[in-house]
Every structure is written in structure tokens, then in C-alpha cells.
Amino acid sequence: MKTIAELEAKLAEPSEALVKDIAAIDGDIMLLGIGGKMGPSLARLAQNALKQAGVNKKIYGASRFSDKELKAELEADGIETISVDLLNDNQLQQLPDVKNVIYMAGNKFGTTGNEHFTWAMNSYLPGRVAEKYRNSRIVVFSTGNVYPLTPVFSGGATENTPPGANGEYGMSCLGRERVFESFSHRYDIPMAIYRLNYAIDLRYGVLLEIARSVKAGLPVDVSMGHFNVVWQGDANEWAIRCLNVCSTPPAVFNMSGPETLSMRWVAGEFAKRFGVEANISGQESDTALLSNCSKAHKTFGYPRVSILQMIDWIADWVEIDGKTWNKPTHFQEREGKY
């Protein structure tokens, strides 16, 4: 992949399993918070899957749309966009009623110093959305940050691991889950909690940050020495397919790749591709933010894109100085401060 157009096309390629599953979903689909990093590619993937399935469903995308160009691009792709401030209850109530909602709205970066807004977005808004869409099924985007750091050799937190959110962002995301869960019980709303950790494409993410540091000869701090990662196209696909496995009480899924990856190993792989030596600093900690995603893999299958394929693609992208979003993930953060 050498261009953004090629990248977007790759992200929007549906699998046979997605085409089959989206055809089985009853009703239209609303993406709340479509303007984030994953929303546009998820919408295009869903639209392409609908076309291949030969079914007539509408994909809605709601967001503030501060980027008017994105709004126009999505509309050109067949997505029905709606400009809305979800925290404005009058505007929220004006959204169309649909049978399927994928909730992607939230706040992470900039939480420190603006905690009140993060709690409003992550814990208050979910109750208003659940009340509005109490007759729908809802896939709720969440995060592995609701878990504590776990021993590296434990295999990562499972869905049965007690939450232990570190910092206000993680706590507010646990609040999001609990509020949705409460409304699921109150109104018998089928839901799935989607705990993602971490999705990447060529423009941002853990692998890109490591690759750029290695290429530039900058130190790669391995204190947070292990992590999980998944290609964004696979993460998007699983989110859509979750609509078919919603339940009351909510089904919970950890979402990432199958490997517990060593940052030192990943840096070494990029170093081989760039013909340089990786500049490693620090020493690996015994714990990391890790998720065991066996349940999701049993339900949806393994990711279609492997870790070595992702490393190859990102190395090529860095070599050609491809466009990036310059949005650090702060994956090294061990104190939960974002």
C-alpha cells in the first residue's frame, strides 16, 4: 500500500463471514461517534459488506463533524451522515430510531486536566443513549484499560478478570460499561461490550510509533515491554459482527490479536527491515496492560492480518514517509494518565 486510497480500500474489504453476518442483521445500523479514528473505515466496511450481501440496509453516521471534508467523503461513500452534539439531549433525541447501534463516542486523550468532560462523555452520555435506543441492540466500544496491569506470563486479563481501572480514563470507561449494563437490565436491551486493545492502521498506533523511533535511531523504552495489537480492519469487522451476538445481560469480549507481543522483539523486526540497530532503553516490567482474547477468537475466528504482515506494511509506509495522524497512543503509560 502506497497511498491513503489503497489503505482505505484494504480496510474496507469485507470477509465472507462478515457478508454472511451482516445479511442476518435485522434493520439499519447507526454509528454514534463515527468521526473518530475507526468510525469512517468501519462505516465503509459495513457498506461494502451490505453491497456484497445484496441487502438493502442503511448505514447512519452521527458525529460533530468538525471535519467537513470527512462528512462529504462519507456521504459520497453512501453513508447517511448526521451532524450532532451527542451531549445536547435535544439533538440526541432527534436522531432516527434504528434497530442496531454501534456506540463509538468517548474521550481519552486530554483527560488529565479535563476530567469532567471525560466523565460526561464516557459515563453520563451512555445513559442518555441507552434511554434513547432502549428498543435497539447496542455494541458498546470499551477498552482494555478497565483491567489492571497483569503479569506478562499470565496470558492477559480475561473477561472474567475483575476490573481494576488505573486512572480516571479507565475508571470512566468502566463507568460507561456499568451504565449501559444497568439499562440493559432495566429495558432488556441486547448488548455487547467490546473491550479493544489496540487497533492499528498505517497512520497511527503502537507499531507505527515503534517503527518511527527505530528508523530515526531514537530510544525505544521497553518498560511497558509487552502489548496486544490487531489490524483495524479486523477490529472493525468484529464490531459489526458483534451485533449478532448481543445479549442481556451484555456479552463481553476482549478484542485484539492472539499474541502477547514483546516490544523488544517488534523493535528488532523493524530494525531488520530498515537495516539499522534498534536503540533499546529501559528494562521490561513484569506486568503490562494485556488482554486474553480467546473468547473473541472462538466466536469470530482469528484476525485475517498477521503481526508480521502488519510489520511489513508499516515498515514500507515509514520508508516512503506515508501520511500519519501524529496522534501518540501513550501505550507506554503505566499510571493511567491520558
Side-chain angles (χ1 to χ4, degrees), residues 238-285:
W238 293 340
I240 301 165
R241 295 178 65 194
C242 272
L243 288 166
N244 278 326
V245 295
C246 290
S247 64
T248 307
V252 180
F253 293 95
N254 292 342
M255 297 293 197
S256 197
E259 303 95 347
T260 295
L261 293 170
S262 158
M263 188 180 302
R264 188 183 296 265
W265 176 81
V266 170
E269 288 298 310
F270 281 120
K272 291 177 188 176
R273 286 156 178 77
F274 296 141
V276 300
E277 290 289 328
N279 182 2
I280 302 296
S281 69
Q283 185 62 44
E284 289 85 350
S285 301

CSV table of all heavy atoms in Angstrom, one decimal, residues 238-285:
chain,number,residue,atom,x,y,z
A,238,TRP,N,-15.1,-7.3,13.5
A,238,TRP,CA,-15.6,-7.9,14.7
A,238,TRP,C,-16.7,-7.0,15.4
A,238,TRP,O,-17.7,-7.5,15.9
A,238,TRP,CB,-14.5,-8.2,15.7
A,238,TRP,CG,-13.5,-9.2,15.3
A,238,TRP,CD1,-13.7,-10.2,14.3
A,238,TRP,CD2,-12.2,-9.4,15.7
A,238,TRP,NE1,-12.6,-10.9,14.2
A,238,TRP,CE2,-11.6,-10.5,15.0
A,238,TRP,CE3,-11.4,-8.8,16.7
A,238,TRP,CZ2,-10.3,-10.9,15.2
A,238,TRP,CZ3,-10.1,-9.2,16.9
A,238,TRP,CH2,-9.6,-10.3,16.2
A,239,ALA,N,-16.5,-5.7,15.3
A,239,ALA,CA,-17.5,-4.8,15.9
A,239,ALA,C,-18.9,-5.0,15.2
A,239,ALA,O,-19.9,-5.0,15.9
A,239,ALA,CB,-17.0,-3.4,15.8
A,240,ILE,N,-18.9,-5.0,13.9
A,240,ILE,CA,-20.1,-5.2,13.2
A,240,ILE,C,-20.7,-6.6,13.5
A,240,ILE,O,-21.9,-6.7,13.7
A,240,ILE,CB,-19.9,-5.0,11.7
A,240,ILE,CG1,-19.3,-3.7,11.4
A,240,ILE,CG2,-21.2,-5.3,10.9
A,240,ILE,CD1,-18.7,-3.5,10.0
A,241,ARG,N,-19.9,-7.6,13.5
A,241,ARG,CA,-20.4,-9.0,13.7
A,241,ARG,C,-20.9,-9.1,15.1
A,241,ARG,O,-21.7,-10.0,15.4
A,241,ARG,CB,-19.3,-10.0,13.4
A,241,ARG,CG,-18.9,-10.0,11.9
A,241,ARG,CD,-17.8,-11.0,11.6
A,241,ARG,NE,-18.2,-12.4,11.9
A,241,ARG,CZ,-17.4,-13.4,12.0
A,241,ARG,NH1,-16.1,-13.2,11.9
A,241,ARG,NH2,-17.9,-14.6,12.2
A,242,CYS,N,-20.5,-8.3,16.1
A,242,CYS,CA,-21.0,-8.3,17.4
A,242,CYS,C,-22.5,-8.1,17.5
A,242,CYS,O,-23.2,-8.5,18.5
A,242,CYS,CB,-20.3,-7.3,18.3
A,242,CYS,SG,-18.7,-7.9,19.1
A,243,LEU,N,-23.0,-7.4,16.5
A,243,LEU,CA,-24.5,-7.1,16.5
A,243,LEU,C,-25.3,-8.4,16.5
A,243,LEU,O,-26.4,-8.4,17.0
A,243,LEU,CB,-24.9,-6.3,15.3
A,243,LEU,CG,-24.4,-4.8,15.4
A,243,LEU,CD1,-24.6,-4.2,14.0
A,243,LEU,CD2,-25.2,-4.0,16.4
A,244,ASN,N,-24.7,-9.5,16.0
A,244,ASN,CA,-25.4,-10.8,16.0
A,244,ASN,C,-25.2,-11.6,17.3
A,244,ASN,O,-25.8,-12.7,17.4
A,244,ASN,CB,-24.9,-11.6,14.8
A,244,ASN,CG,-25.6,-11.2,13.5
A,244,ASN,OD1,-26.8,-10.9,13.6
A,244,ASN,ND2,-24.9,-11.3,12.4
A,245,VAL,N,-24.4,-11.1,18.2
A,245,VAL,CA,-24.2,-11.9,19.5
A,245,VAL,C,-24.5,-11.1,20.7
A,245,VAL,O,-24.1,-11.4,21.8
A,245,VAL,CB,-22.7,-12.4,19.5
A,245,VAL,CG1,-22.5,-13.4,18.4
A,245,VAL,CG2,-21.7,-11.3,19.5
A,246,CYS,N,-25.3,-10.0,20.5
A,246,CYS,CA,-25.7,-9.2,21.7
A,246,CYS,C,-26.6,-10.0,22.6
A,246,CYS,O,-27.4,-10.9,22.1
A,246,CYS,CB,-26.4,-7.9,21.2
A,246,CYS,SG,-25.4,-6.7,20.4
A,247,SER,N,-26.6,-9.7,23.8
A,247,SER,CA,-27.4,-10.5,24.8
A,247,SER,C,-27.8,-9.6,26.0
A,247,SER,O,-27.2,-8.5,26.1
A,247,SER,CB,-26.7,-11.7,25.2
A,247,SER,OG,-25.5,-11.4,26.0
A,248,THR,N,-28.7,-10.1,26.8
A,248,THR,CA,-29.0,-9.4,28.1
A,248,THR,C,-28.8,-10.5,29.2
A,248,THR,O,-29.5,-11.5,29.1
A,248,THR,CB,-30.5,-8.9,28.1
A,248,THR,OG1,-30.7,-8.1,26.9
A,248,THR,CG2,-30.7,-8.1,29.3
A,249,PRO,N,-27.9,-10.3,30.2
A,249,PRO,CA,-27.0,-9.1,30.3
A,249,PRO,C,-26.0,-9.1,29.2
A,249,PRO,O,-25.9,-10.0,28.4
A,249,PRO,CB,-26.4,-9.3,31.7
A,249,PRO,CG,-26.5,-10.8,31.9
A,249,PRO,CD,-27.7,-11.2,31.2
A,250,PRO,N,-25.3,-8.0,29.0
A,250,PRO,CA,-24.4,-7.8,27.9
A,250,PRO,C,-23.3,-8.9,27.8
A,250,PRO,O,-22.8,-9.3,28.8
A,250,PRO,CB,-23.8,-6.4,28.1
A,250,PRO,CG,-24.7,-5.7,29.0
A,250,PRO,CD,-25.3,-6.7,29.9
A,251,ALA,N,-23.1,-9.3,26.5
A,251,ALA,CA,-22.0,-10.2,26.3
A,251,ALA,C,-20.7,-9.3,26.3
A,251,ALA,O,-20.7,-8.2,25.8
A,251,ALA,CB,-22.1,-10.9,24.9
A,252,VAL,N,-19.6,-9.8,26.9
A,252,VAL,CA,-18.4,-9.1,27.0
A,252,VAL,C,-17.3,-9.8,26.2
A,252,VAL,O,-17.1,-11.0,26.3
A,252,VAL,CB,-17.9,-8.9,28.4
A,252,VAL,CG1,-16.6,-8.2,28.5
A,252,VAL,CG2,-19.0,-8.3,29.3
A,253,PHE,N,-16.6,-9.0,25.3
A,253,PHE,CA,-15.5,-9.6,24.5
A,253,PHE,C,-14.2,-8.7,24.6
A,253,PHE,O,-14.3,-7.5,24.4
A,253,PHE,CB,-15.9,-9.7,23.0
A,253,PHE,CG,-17.0,-10.6,22.7
A,253,PHE,CD1,-18.3,-10.2,22.7
A,253,PHE,CD2,-16.7,-12.0,22.5
A,253,PHE,CE1,-19.3,-11.1,22.4
A,253,PHE,CE2,-17.7,-12.9,22.2
A,253,PHE,CZ,-19.1,-12.4,22.2
A,254,ASN,N,-13.1,-9.4,25.0
A,254,ASN,CA,-11.8,-8.7,24.7
A,254,ASN,C,-11.5,-8.8,23.3
A,254,ASN,O,-11.6,-9.9,22.7
A,254,ASN,CB,-10.7,-9.4,25.5
A,254,ASN,CG,-10.9,-9.2,27.0
A,254,ASN,OD1,-11.6,-8.3,27.5
A,254,ASN,ND2,-10.2,-10.1,27.8
A,255,MET,N,-11.0,-7.7,22.7
A,255,MET,CA,-10.7,-7.7,21.2
A,255,MET,C,-9.3,-7.3,20.9
A,255,MET,O,-8.9,-6.1,21.2
A,255,MET,CB,-11.7,-6.8,20.5
A,255,MET,CG,-13.2,-7.2,20.7
A,255,MET,SD,-13.5,-8.7,19.8
A,255,MET,CE,-15.3,-8.6,19.6
A,256,SER,N,-8.5,-8.2,20.4
A,256,SER,CA,-7.1,-7.9,20.0
A,256,SER,C,-6.6,-9.1,19.3
A,256,SER,O,-7.3,-10.1,19.0
A,256,SER,CB,-6.2,-7.5,21.1
A,256,SER,OG,-5.1,-6.8,20.6
A,257,GLY,N,-5.3,-9.1,18.9
A,257,GLY,CA,-4.7,-10.2,18.3
A,257,GLY,C,-4.4,-11.3,19.3
A,257,GLY,O,-4.5,-11.1,20.5
A,258,PRO,N,-3.9,-12.5,18.8
A,258,PRO,CA,-3.7,-13.6,19.7
A,258,PRO,C,-2.4,-13.6,20.5
A,258,PRO,O,-2.2,-14.3,21.5
A,258,PRO,CB,-3.7,-14.8,18.8
A,258,PRO,CG,-3.3,-14.3,17.5
A,258,PRO,CD,-3.8,-12.9,17.4
A,259,GLU,N,-1.4,-12.7,20.0
A,259,GLU,CA,-0.1,-12.8,20.6
A,259,GLU,C,0.1,-11.8,21.8
A,259,GLU,O,-0.5,-10.7,21.8
A,259,GLU,CB,1.0,-12.4,19.6
A,259,GLU,CG,1.0,-13.3,18.3
A,259,GLU,CD,0.2,-12.7,17.2
A,259,GLU,OE1,-0.6,-11.7,17.4
A,259,GLU,OE2,0.3,-13.2,16.1
A,260,THR,N,0.9,-12.2,22.8
A,260,THR,CA,1.5,-11.2,23.7
A,260,THR,C,2.8,-10.8,23.1
A,260,THR,O,3.7,-11.6,23.1
A,260,THR,CB,1.7,-11.9,25.1
A,260,THR,OG1,0.4,-12.2,25.7
A,260,THR,CG2,2.4,-10.9,26.0
A,261,LEU,N,2.8,-9.6,22.6
A,261,LEU,CA,4.0,-9.2,21.8
A,261,LEU,C,5.1,-8.5,22.7
A,261,LEU,O,4.7,-7.7,23.6
A,261,LEU,CB,3.6,-8.2,20.7
A,261,LEU,CG,2.7,-8.8,19.6
A,261,LEU,CD1,2.1,-7.6,18.7
A,261,LEU,CD2,3.5,-9.7,18.7
A,262,SER,N,6.3,-8.8,22.4
A,262,SER,CA,7.4,-8.2,23.1
A,262,SER,C,7.8,-7.0,22.3
A,262,SER,O,8.1,-7.0,21.1
A,262,SER,CB,8.6,-9.2,23.1
A,262,SER,OG,9.8,-8.5,23.3
A,263,MET,N,7.9,-5.8,23.0
A,263,MET,CA,8.3,-4.6,22.3
A,263,MET,C,9.7,-4.7,21.8
A,263,MET,O,10.1,-4.2,20.7
A,263,MET,CB,8.2,-3.4,23.3
A,263,MET,CG,8.4,-2.1,22.6
A,263,MET,SD,8.2,-0.7,23.7
A,263,MET,CE,6.6,-1.0,24.3
A,264,ARG,N,10.6,-5.4,22.6
A,264,ARG,CA,11.9,-5.6,22.2
A,264,ARG,C,12.0,-6.4,20.8
A,264,ARG,O,12.8,-6.0,19.9
A,264,ARG,CB,12.7,-6.3,23.3
A,264,ARG,CG,14.2,-6.4,23.0
A,264,ARG,CD,14.9,-7.2,24.1
A,264,ARG,NE,14.8,-6.6,25.4
A,264,ARG,CZ,15.7,-5.7,26.0
A,264,ARG,NH1,16.8,-5.5,25.3
A,264,ARG,NH2,15.5,-5.2,27.1
A,265,TRP,N,11.2,-7.4,20.7
A,265,TRP,CA,11.1,-8.2,19.5
A,265,TRP,C,10.6,-7.4,18.3
A,265,TRP,O,11.2,-7.5,17.2
A,265,TRP,CB,10.3,-9.5,19.7
A,265,TRP,CG,10.1,-10.3,18.5
A,265,TRP,CD1,11.0,-11.2,18.0
A,265,TRP,CD2,9.0,-10.3,17.6
A,265,TRP,NE1,10.5,-11.8,16.8
A,265,TRP,CE2,9.3,-11.2,16.6
A,265,TRP,CE3,7.8,-9.6,17.5
A,265,TRP,CZ2,8.4,-11.4,15.5
A,265,TRP,CZ3,6.9,-9.8,16.5
A,265,TRP,CH2,7.2,-10.7,15.5
A,266,VAL,N,9.5,-6.7,18.6
A,266,VAL,CA,9.0,-5.8,17.5
A,266,VAL,C,10.0,-4.8,17.0
A,266,VAL,O,10.2,-4.6,15.8
A,266,VAL,CB,7.7,-5.2,18.0
A,266,VAL,CG1,7.2,-4.1,16.9
A,266,VAL,CG2,6.6,-6.2,18.2
A,267,ALA,N,10.6,-4.2,17.9
A,267,ALA,CA,11.7,-3.2,17.5
A,267,ALA,C,12.8,-3.9,16.7
A,267,ALA,O,13.3,-3.3,15.7
A,267,ALA,CB,12.3,-2.5,18.8
A,268,GLY,N,13.1,-5.1,17.1
A,268,GLY,CA,14.1,-5.8,16.3
A,268,GLY,C,13.7,-6.2,14.9
A,268,GLY,O,14.5,-6.1,14.0
A,269,GLU,N,12.4,-6.5,14.8
A,269,GLU,CA,11.9,-6.8,13.5
A,269,GLU,C,11.9,-5.6,12.5
A,269,GLU,O,12.2,-5.6,11.4
A,269,GLU,CB,10.4,-7.3,13.6
A,269,GLU,CG,10.3,-8.7,14.2
A,269,GLU,CD,11.0,-9.7,13.3
A,269,GLU,OE1,10.8,-9.8,12.0
A,269,GLU,OE2,11.9,-10.5,13.8
A,270,PHE,N,11.5,-4.4,13.1
A,270,PHE,CA,11.6,-3.2,12.3
A,270,PHE,C,13.1,-2.8,12.0
A,270,PHE,O,13.4,-2.4,10.9
A,270,PHE,CB,11.0,-2.0,13.0
A,270,PHE,CG,9.5,-2.0,12.9
A,270,PHE,CD1,8.7,-2.1,14.1
A,270,PHE,CD2,8.8,-1.9,11.7
A,270,PHE,CE1,7.3,-2.1,14.0
A,270,PHE,CE2,7.5,-1.9,11.6
A,270,PHE,CZ,6.7,-2.0,12.7
A,271,ALA,N,14.0,-3.1,12.9
A,271,ALA,CA,15.4,-2.8,12.7
A,271,ALA,C,15.9,-3.6,11.5
A,271,ALA,O,16.7,-3.1,10.7
A,271,ALA,CB,16.2,-3.1,14.0
A,272,LYS,N,15.5,-4.9,11.4
A,272,LYS,CA,15.9,-5.7,10.3
A,272,LYS,C,15.5,-5.1,9.0
A,272,LYS,O,16.2,-5.1,8.0
A,272,LYS,CB,15.3,-7.1,10.4
A,272,LYS,CG,15.9,-8.0,11.6
A,272,LYS,CD,15.1,-9.3,11.6
A,272,LYS,CE,15.5,-10.1,12.8
A,272,LYS,NZ,14.7,-11.4,12.9
A,273,ARG,N,14.3,-4.6,8.9
A,273,ARG,CA,13.7,-4.1,7.7
A,273,ARG,C,14.3,-2.8,7.3
A,273,ARG,O,14.4,-2.5,6.1
A,273,ARG,CB,12.2,-4.0,7.8
A,273,ARG,CG,11.5,-5.4,7.8
A,273,ARG,CD,10.1,-5.4,8.5
A,273,ARG,NE,9.4,-6.7,8.4
A,273,ARG,CZ,9.8,-7.7,9.1
A,273,ARG,NH1,10.8,-7.6,10.0
A,273,ARG,NH2,9.1,-8.9,9.0
A,274,PHE,N,14.8,-2.0,8.3
A,274,PHE,CA,15.4,-0.7,8.0
A,274,PHE,C,16.9,-0.8,7.9
A,274,PHE,O,17.5,0.2,7.5
A,274,PHE,CB,15.0,0.3,9.1
A,274,PHE,CG,13.6,0.6,9.2
A,274,PHE,CD1,13.0,0.8,10.5
A,274,PHE,CD2,12.8,0.8,8.1
A,274,PHE,CE1,11.6,1.1,10.6
A,274,PHE,CE2,11.4,1.1,8.2
A,274,PHE,CZ,10.8,1.2,9.4
A,275,GLY,N,17.5,-2.0,8.2
A,275,GLY,CA,18.9,-2.1,8.1
A,275,GLY,C,19.7,-1.3,9.1
A,275,GLY,O,20.7,-0.8,8.9
A,276,VAL,N,19.1,-1.2,10.3
A,276,VAL,CA,19.7,-0.5,11.4
A,276,VAL,C,19.7,-1.3,12.7
A,276,VAL,O,19.2,-2.4,12.7
A,276,VAL,CB,18.9,0.9,11.7
A,276,VAL,CG1,18.9,1.7,10.4
A,276,VAL,CG2,17.5,0.6,12.1
A,277,GLU,N,20.3,-0.8,13.8
A,277,GLU,CA,20.2,-1.4,15.1
A,277,GLU,C,19.1,-0.7,15.9
A,277,GLU,O,19.1,0.5,15.9
A,277,GLU,CB,21.6,-1.3,15.8
A,277,GLU,CG,22.7,-2.2,15.2
A,277,GLU,CD,22.5,-3.6,15.4
A,277,GLU,OE1,21.9,-4.0,16.4
A,277,GLU,OE2,22.9,-4.4,14.5
A,278,ALA,N,18.3,-1.5,16.6
A,278,ALA,CA,17.3,-0.9,17.5
A,278,ALA,C,18.0,-0.3,18.7
A,278,ALA,O,18.9,-1.0,19.3
A,278,ALA,CB,16.3,-1.9,17.8
A,279,ASN,N,17.6,0.9,19.1
A,279,ASN,CA,18.2,1.5,20.3
A,279,ASN,C,17.2,1.3,21.4
A,279,ASN,O,16.3,2.0,21.6
A,279,ASN,CB,18.3,3.0,20.0
A,279,ASN,CG,18.9,3.8,21.1
A,279,ASN,OD1,19.3,3.2,22.2
A,279,ASN,ND2,19.1,5.1,21.0
A,280,ILE,N,17.5,0.2,22.2
A,280,ILE,CA,16.6,-0.2,23.3
A,280,ILE,C,17.0,0.5,24.6
A,280,ILE,O,18.2,0.5,24.9
A,280,ILE,CB,16.6,-1.7,23.5
A,280,ILE,CG1,16.2,-2.4,22.2
A,280,ILE,CG2,15.7,-2.1,24.6
A,280,ILE,CD1,14.8,-2.1,21.7
A,281,SER,N,16.1,1.0,25.3
A,281,SER,CA,16.4,1.6,26.6
A,281,SER,C,15.4,1.0,27.7
A,281,SER,O,14.3,0.5,27.3
A,281,SER,CB,16.2,3.1,26.6
A,281,SER,OG,14.9,3.5,26.4
A,282,GLY,N,15.8,1.0,28.9
A,282,GLY,CA,15.0,0.5,30.0
A,282,GLY,C,15.0,-1.0,30.1
A,282,GLY,O,15.7,-1.7,29.3
A,283,GLN,N,14.2,-1.5,31.0
A,283,GLN,CA,14.1,-2.9,31.2
A,283,GLN,C,12.6,-3.3,31.3
A,283,GLN,O,11.8,-2.6,31.9
A,283,GLN,CB,14.8,-3.3,32.5
A,283,GLN,CG,14.9,-4.8,32.7
A,283,GLN,CD,15.6,-5.6,31.6
A,283,GLN,OE1,16.7,-5.2,31.2
A,283,GLN,NE2,15.0,-6.7,31.2
A,284,GLU,N,12.2,-4.4,30.7
A,284,GLU,CA,10.8,-4.9,30.8
A,284,GLU,C,10.3,-5.0,32.2
A,284,GLU,O,11.0,-5.6,33.0
A,284,GLU,CB,10.6,-6.2,30.0
A,284,GLU,CG,10.8,-6.0,28.5
A,284,GLU,CD,12.2,-6.1,28.0
A,284,GLU,OE1,13.1,-6.1,28.9
A,284,GLU,OE2,12.4,-6.2,26.8
A,285,SER,N,9.1,-4.5,32.4
A,285,SER,CA,8.4,-4.8,33.7
A,285,SER,C,7.8,-6.1,33.7
A,285,SER,O,7.5,-6.7,32.6
A,285,SER,CB,7.3,-3.7,33.9
A,285,SER,OG,7.9,-2.4,33.9
